[in-house]
Amino acid sequence: MARQQQEQLTPKQQVLRDLEDARVSLAHHASLAAEEWSPRAVITRSFEKHRALWIGGAALAGLALLKLAWPSGESNNRRDNFFATAKNRGLFALLLSPLLALGRKTILNYGSQLFESYLRQKVSPNGPDAGTV
């Protein structure tokens, strides 16, 4: 039935219909490409692939931001009892201790996953030394 309709179409109508089909297909593939290469998708894939680097970079950026936000206390025109260096160090320790704990936990989890995947690749259940690790 569809073939009979194609035979009844003139060559110009067939070309126009093929062109419309190609446009629909192109629009579909363009939307898939836009979703695939959107900044959010690219950053998500990068974070999944390089999680430790992202955490390290965020920690360094946070340290740099904190260093810029709080003065060092080396200026002579400040009051010594308010901008003492020990207070700033205590504030840094207070702010960074949860970040370091989270980073340590994440890095240990990531390392254990890498080690487990390495062991699974090296020791397969079908291999000759399946019982040894």
Side-chain angles (χ1 to χ4, degrees), residues 33-74:
E35 290 174 13
E36 183 78 17
W37 291 102
S38 69
R40 182 177 181 169
V42 170
I43 289 173
T44 302
R45 280 193 309 268
S46 175
F47 185 76
E48 289 171 358
K49 195 181 241 186
H50 309 289
R51 183 170 296 189
L53 291 176
W54 275 92
I55 291 171
L60 288 176
L63 283 174
L65 185 65
L66 286 175
K67 190 70 171 168
L68 290 175
W70 275 278
S72 64
E74 297 173 4

Side-chain angles (χ1 to χ4, degrees), residues 2-10 14:
R3 192 169 280 240
Q4 290 174 355
Q5 286 179 343
Q6 281 183 348
E7 291 174 3
Q8 292 174 358
L9 295 175
T10 64
Q14 250 181 336

